[in-house]
Amino acid sequence: MSTAEVHELMARAEELPYGEAKTVLVEDALRRAEATGDDRLAFRVRMSLTTAYQYGGEPAKAFTTFSRCLAEHDRDPGRHDAERRLLWHFKWIVHSLTLFAEVPLDRTYAVMDDMERRYRAGGYSLQAVYHYRNAVARHVGDLDAADEWYAKWHAAPRDELSDCEGCDPTGMVRHLEVRGRDEEALAVAAPVLGDELTCSEQPHGILTALLPVYLRTGRLDEARDAHRRAYRLVRSSVADLSLVGEHIWFCAVTGNEPRGFEILQRHLGWLDRAPSPCDAMEFAAAGALLLRRMEEAGAGDVAVRRPGGAGEVSAAELRAELAGRAREIAARFDARNGTSYQGEKVERMLADEPVVEHLPLTAHDRRRPAPAPSPARPAPEPEQGRDLSGVTDLDALLDAADEARSADDLDGALAAWRRFDEVAGDRRLTVLQTARRADGRGVELLTGGEYGAALAEWRRAVELFAEAGDRVREQSGLSRIGALLFATGEPEEGIALMRAAVAVLDEHDAGAPRAFDARMRLADALLRGERPEEGLAVLDGLAPSRPGDLGEVELYRGRGLGDLGRDAEATAVLRRACTAFREAGRPDRLAEAAFLLGRMLAYGEAQDPDAALEAYDEAVANAAAGPPGLTPAAHAERGSLLLACDRAADAVADMVEAVAGFTALGHRPQAAYARLDLAAAYLSTGRPFEAAEVAEEAMPVLAELDDPGAERRCRFILAHAQRELGEEQAAEVFTSLAEDEDDPVAAAQLLETAADVLTGLDKDALAADGFLRAAEAFAKAGDPFGEVRCRRRGALCRAWGGGGDRALAEMQDARRALGELPAQEHGAEAAWEAAALDYDEARMLATLGRLADAVEPASRAVDGFAAVGADDAAQAAAALRDDIRGRL
């Protein structure tokens, strides 16, 4: 084994986030370091492994590496020059010892005493010692002692062994929150909340600690923002399992059970590899609280996926499991500590009640959509409902119900039927009266969603109409039965019934409302059944007689013409429908006609975005009078069109309303598509945080819908949002997009973008590997310049990552690839790339200290850039050359 291999492994590990992959590399490096016989190297790697265990979610393993390093240091204090680092590690060990119930409390106190002795001997402040004595006192529930240690901690001077400027106040906030000293906690946190903290535990540590403080003090906006910011940072690290549990608790007490359930489901598998029993206890208790809140809301039967494909369990069953687990672990801690504090804390959490009924977390997070604007032209005030209290004529009451139905006044019809039932009492009814009341009862049942019962009542009414010899009402009833059969899965039988009814009514009741309505039902069914030619034929010759009927005919005709691709005719007809509904004072129908007109103008042959937006404006303004789903649909269509017109800022408000409306109605697929457009709008307006959140909300539903195009678009938006947020996961998403890409050039470009993300985060060794993969992909795709560019950039990253010799070899690979290009076909482009290669090679050689070798490529770069007219690049190369000469 060579020390070079150890250094290479450690360099690779340095660029990885804390977690299993990083820890495995450092463990491998330690094995190799021990095999070299270089005890100093092995000591340094072992110290790094303690850090990897601590931040990678395996603190128990850190006990062994820390103890061995401490023993080696004590044997020869001057050999490793590691006293200060070991004293820092003491803080981790003291804290971690409290997290394992099987570790005797006396051992924790002994290690803490040893820590204090060493800090005193080294001349360091005892500020950190007091900090961790406070933490141990809080853990066992000795809050009076914790107050005393807090006072000493707060008064002691900070020094180089104090926790960082974010973690130290976080610990103080934890103490003050437990003691109910909320205003003091806010004051302690205030100076650091606006700072750029570089610690791996911040800012999510202090933001999470402040959640209960914000809620108790009514600072709901701050609480919401703290949750959103902090959870995003903790969700990828199992080491932060207890913090994840605190965010589940937050969701449970703020009326955000659906989001809390998503978080619980996402992290449930971590419970089996929790960093410590204490972390498992806190996560389990928070999960049980959340599931209790779901049970109380009637969602106890919701299925929860067990980790690892182990089946499903109901929310109620899982609640019992998690509560039992939390209580069992708490009992072990209390037995170890000789107190009841942990058990009481768990019970308090399990019994927690909401702090607020519902705290919206985003603009589109509403339990019901925002009130729609008033219709642009409201319908005339309805006449005061007819007073039927004095009417005792049964036929007159049935006539009043029919008149109300004909005018789309369902409330009036219901009132008339109720009065009929009061007057009729036990009186003997005629067959016709019985039939008419049965017909009305079918309408009542249909309105209540009882389709089978409505169908049975209408069939009874039809038989009675036939018995009474009222053929018009009989056929009208058969028409309605046909429409209901069509809507409930029996389309052919339904259409046959409606056709037959139309034929009879045309003969016996032509031009009357019942004949008109029967034709409209048939036309609607044919249009919905994708038989537009037949539907249009049914509409021919209709003579509207009631206000709004003309609009209905034109609306249906517009639908049919649009289905046939006769866009110009459809547009003209829909315009007439809108005019007719405006004149009739029917905002409910105007909204639908304007909506369809907007779609025709947006997507038809002669696209007119401005006119389409005007139509959508009218649809949105009147949608409140229409069916419930129309309002979010109109917002979604207008928002999508605004987005397509590069008006993303204007689109945001519409898409917010669309998401909120569809979600409130339980329309998950439509809400997911609206979220997709909202994420795109957020990304385009410089709001990557919101874009990432919304894209992540949409992703699971889009995956369920089996819509690869939409899912891919969502991942693409997410990757760009993560990139702007500086999140390393962006590289993983871009790489996965490349793997799914059919176009070889596009796949190579995505791999290059993934490498770009890594180099932007100073993950140079990983970026170098990424650029190499991209170069190979460009070569396979037949893009030689892409290959050269990526080989050059990868070599440069390799050099920045410490791989000097390999970097120089990879730069030569780039030069060979460039040399294989026919110069006559790629003159200026090849010359520019050659100059860029010279420039980067000179930078690399200068970085490696080979200044004399760097002069020639720097000079060639100056000449090369100048030859192709790249004056700025030539000046940069000249400055590099002059700097190298000056350093020589």
Side-chain angles (χ1 to χ4, degrees):
M1 298 294 175
S2 69
T3 59
E5 291 176 322
V6 176
H7 288 301
E8 183 178 352
L9 282 172
M10 292 301 292
R12 287 168 55 195
E14 183 66 28
E15 297 198 343
L16 292 174
Y18 286 107
E20 184 178 3
K22 184 186 189 86
T23 300
V24 166
L25 281 181
V26 181
E27 288 175 335
D28 189 17
L30 178 58
R31 285 190 292 270
R32 293 170 185 262
E34 290 175 335
T36 67
D38 186 337
D39 62 330
R40 289 186 176 181
L41 177 61
F43 181 90
R44 291 196 299 273
V45 175
R46 193 174 292 110
M47 289 285 286
S48 295
L49 186 54
T50 299
T51 304
Y53 285 145
Q54 179 67 27
Y55 289 121
E58 299 179 282
K61 292 183 178 180
F63 297 155
T64 302
T65 53
F66 170 77
S67 298
R68 180 160 177 189
C69 288
L70 185 64
E72 287 189 32
H73 167 78
D74 288 347
R75 279 195 299 271
D76 188 354
R79 180 168 178 75
H80 299 295
D81 190 26
E83 180 185 58
R84 197 185 68 79
R85 263 188 93 188
L86 281 167
L87 292 179
W88 187 278
H89 288 187
F90 255 105
K91 299 185 295 182
W92 299 343
I93 299 304
V94 168
H95 172 67
S96 296
L97 287 171
T98 66
L99 307 180
F100 294 85
E102 57 269 30
V103 177
L105 200 57
D106 288 347
R107 181 180 176 191
T108 301
Y109 288 133
V111 173
M112 204 155 48
D113 291 342
D114 187 26
M115 173 183 173
E116 180 171 343
R117 179 184 62 79
R118 291 172 185 270
Y119 273 55
R120 288 184 184 278
Y124 295 104
S125 169
L126 296 184
Q127 197 254 12
V129 175
Y130 298 146
H131 176 173
Y132 286 89
R133 287 197 183 279
N134 165 273
V136 174
R138 275 190 288 116
H139 171 77
V140 301
D142 189 350
L143 299 183
D144 290 336
D147 285 338
E148 294 176 11
W149 289 120
Y150 176 81
K152 292 182 178 182
W153 168 20
H154 195 262
R158 286 177 52 80
D159 69 356
E160 59 192 292
L161 289 178
S162 297
D163 278 0
C164 79
E165 293 182 354
C167 290
D168 206 43
T170 299
M172 293 182 178
V173 168
R174 292 285 184 189
H175 172 81
L176 294 168
E177 185 273 319
V178 166
R179 302 303 277 152
R181 294 157 62 179
D182 293 339
E183 294 302 329
E184 290 180 66
L186 293 168
V188 165
V192 299
L193 288 177
D195 291 348
E196 289 291 331
L197 302 173
T198 58
C199 172
S200 62
E201 297 181 55
Q202 299 300 338
H204 47 282
I206 196 164
L207 290 173
T208 303
L210 284 168
L211 289 175
V213 177
Y214 282 144
L215 290 176
R216 287 200 300 252
T217 58
R219 292 170 167 83
L220 300 185
D221 289 343
E222 290 89 339
R224 174 182 56 243
D225 294 344
H227 164 66
R228 293 175 64 201
R229 287 179 60 198
Y231 174 67
R232 186 161 195 85
L233 295 170
V234 304
R235 63 184 186 155
S236 60
S237 173
V238 70
D240 292 323
L241 180 64
S242 65
L243 298 185
V244 172
E246 292 184 66
H247 288 278
I248 292 174
W249 169 87
F250 171 85
C251 292
V253 299
T254 58
N256 286 288
E257 290 84 1
R259 177 174 170 85
F261 183 68
E262 289 177 9
I263 295 173
L264 175 65
Q265 182 74 82
R266 184 179 299 133
H267 298 285
L268 189 59
W270 285 4
L271 194 55
D272 294 331
R273 53 191 185 101
S276 72
C278 191
D279 291 290
M281 176 185 72
E282 293 174 355
F283 180 88
L289 166 65
L290 177 86
L291 295 171
R292 191 205 92 208
R293 294 285 306 135
M294 290 176 58
E295 276 188 84
E296 292 171 351
D301 294 333
V302 170
V304 186
R305 297 186 307 277
R306 288 192 182 276
E312 293 183 341
V313 63
S314 73
E317 292 173 306
L318 183 61
R319 178 199 58 75
E321 288 181 25
L322 293 179
R325 184 165 183 175
R327 288 180 171 123
E328 183 271 329
I329 297 173
R332 285 161 42 200
F333 276 116
D334 286 344
R336 190 270 305 267
N337 298 338
T339 67
S340 58
Y341 183 73
Q342 292 297 329
E344 292 168 358
K345 188 169 80 168
V346 165
E347 293 302 330
R348 283 195 301 272
M349 180 176 288
L350 293 175
D352 268 341
E353 293 296 333
V355 179
V356 294
E357 180 183 355
H358 180 231
L359 173 60
L361 299 180
T362 62
H364 57 270
D365 178 16
R366 297 198 294 268
R367 295 196 169 177
R368 58 188 62 83
S374 299
R377 182 176 175 181
E381 285 294 325
E383 295 181 11
Q384 189 67 30
R386 180 180 171 187
D387 182 6
L388 301 174
S389 60
V391 179
T392 57
D393 185 307
L394 294 179
D395 290 329
L397 289 167
L398 291 171
D399 290 342
D402 285 348
E403 290 170 11
R405 285 172 63 189
S406 183
D408 288 332
D409 179 9
L410 181 60
D411 290 338
L414 292 172
W417 286 322
R418 283 194 298 270
R419 177 60 182 162
F420 177 93
D421 293 339
E422 292 171 6
V423 173
D426 296 330
R427 290 166 58 179
R428 183 178 181 83
L429 303 179
T430 67
V431 173
L432 183 57
Q433 288 171 336
T434 303
R436 294 178 71 183
R437 184 63 189 95
D439 188 41
R441 195 170 294 111
V443 174
E444 294 177 80
L445 291 166
L446 183 68
T447 304
E450 299 181 54
Y451 301 131
L455 189 62
E457 199 68 17
W458 275 346
R459 289 191 190 280
R460 175 169 168 264
V462 164
E463 291 174 0
L464 291 169
F465 281 134
E467 182 181 340
D470 192 332
R471 198 165 187 199
V472 169
R473 284 194 172 95
E474 174 195 1
Q475 295 302 316
S476 180
L478 287 170
S479 170
R480 283 195 298 279
I481 290 172
L484 185 53
L485 288 172
F486 179 88
T488 54
E490 298 182 55
E492 293 306 319
E493 182 182 352
I495 287 176
L497 274 176
M498 286 187 279
R499 281 193 189 279
V502 165
V504 174
L505 290 169
D506 279 351
E507 180 181 352
H508 295 280
D509 201 34
R514 287 190 180 89
F516 178 90
D517 292 342
R519 272 189 175 271
M520 294 298 287
R521 288 190 201 99
L522 176 58
D524 182 55
L526 292 167
L527 293 173
R528 291 180 187 278
E530 298 181 357
R531 296 157 69 173
E533 296 95 339
E534 296 176 61
L536 288 172
V538 170
L539 294 171
D540 286 343
L542 269 177
S545 61
R546 294 167 295 184
D549 280 357
L550 174 60
E552 295 292 347
V553 173
E554 298 291 43
L555 176 59
Y556 281 38
R557 186 173 284 123
R559 286 168 52 192
L561 292 168
D563 290 343
L564 291 171
R566 293 158 62 179
D567 294 352
E569 295 173 75
T571 300
V573 167
L574 288 170
R575 287 189 189 279
R576 292 200 297 269
C578 289
T579 300
F581 286 132
R582 282 191 214 104
E583 293 174 352
R586 292 293 304 275
D588 54 334
R589 306 305 291 145
L590 172 58
E592 184 173 347
F595 178 79
L596 292 178
L597 176 61
R599 287 183 59 85
M600 186 60 62
L601 291 166
Y603 307 115
E605 287 180 1
Q607 295 181 6
D608 187 342
D610 291 337
L613 287 172
E614 289 180 11
Y616 285 140
D617 289 345
E618 189 163 37
V620 168
N622 291 278
L630 185 55
T631 295
H635 279 296
E637 288 291 345
R638 186 170 69 178
S640 294
L641 182 55
L642 288 167
L643 192 59
C645 294
D646 294 325
R647 293 173 57 184
D650 296 328
V652 167
D654 269 319
M655 300 318 304
V656 163
E657 291 302 325
V659 172
F662 285 135
T663 302
L665 293 168
H667 296 173
R668 293 179 71 241
Q670 293 92 329
Y673 287 116
R675 280 187 169 92
L676 182 54
D677 276 346
L678 178 57
Y682 277 143
L683 186 64
S684 297
T685 51
R687 298 168 68 178
F689 185 92
E690 290 90 342
E693 277 198 327
V694 175
E696 286 164 347
E697 290 173 356
M699 191 78 74
V701 183
L702 294 176
E704 291 174 12
L705 295 174
D706 193 25
D707 186 341
E711 186 182 5
R712 181 175 178 78
R713 181 185 172 214
C714 192
R715 289 160 60 202
F716 192 79
I717 291 169
L718 176 60
H720 280 283
Q722 290 175 322
R723 181 183 188 182
E724 291 188 31
L725 290 169
E727 295 180 357
E728 191 173 343
Q729 295 95 324
E732 299 173 12
V733 181
F734 279 122
T735 300
S736 71
L737 286 166
E739 292 168 352
D740 297 339
E741 179 57 63
D742 294 330
D743 182 345
V745 174
Q749 290 169 340
L750 288 164
L751 289 173
E752 183 177 9
T753 303
D756 266 329
V757 170
L758 293 169
T759 192
L761 297 172
D762 293 329
K763 305 287 185 180
D764 295 313
L766 294 175
D769 292 339
F771 280 122
L772 184 57
R773 285 194 297 271
E776 292 169 350
F778 276 120
K780 290 180 181 178
D783 184 342
F785 283 101
E787 178 190 1
V788 171
R789 180 180 64 253
C790 287
R791 288 191 182 281
R792 169 174 59 79
R793 296 186 67 193
L796 199 59
C797 287
R798 188 80 66 196
W800 302 155
D805 293 339
R806 185 176 174 185
L808 289 171
E810 290 178 353
M811 188 65 82
Q812 292 309 309
D813 290 340
R815 197 173 291 282
R816 278 193 294 273
L818 180 65
E820 294 172 1
L821 293 174
Q824 64 275 16
E825 296 180 18
H826 306 283
E829 194 175 359
W832 191 96
E833 196 59 56
L837 272 168
D838 288 327
Y839 178 73
D840 285 343
E841 185 176 3
R843 293 168 65 198
M844 185 187 303
L845 290 167
T847 300
L848 295 172
R850 294 171 56 178
L851 297 175
D853 295 334
V855 174
E856 182 181 347
S859 299
R860 289 200 305 266
V862 175
D863 296 338
F865 283 131
V868 295
D871 296 337
D872 291 343
Q875 289 177 11
L880 174 64
R881 178 198 60 197
D882 295 344
D883 177 67
I884 292 169
R885 286 175 175 171
R887 290 164 63 189
L888 278 170

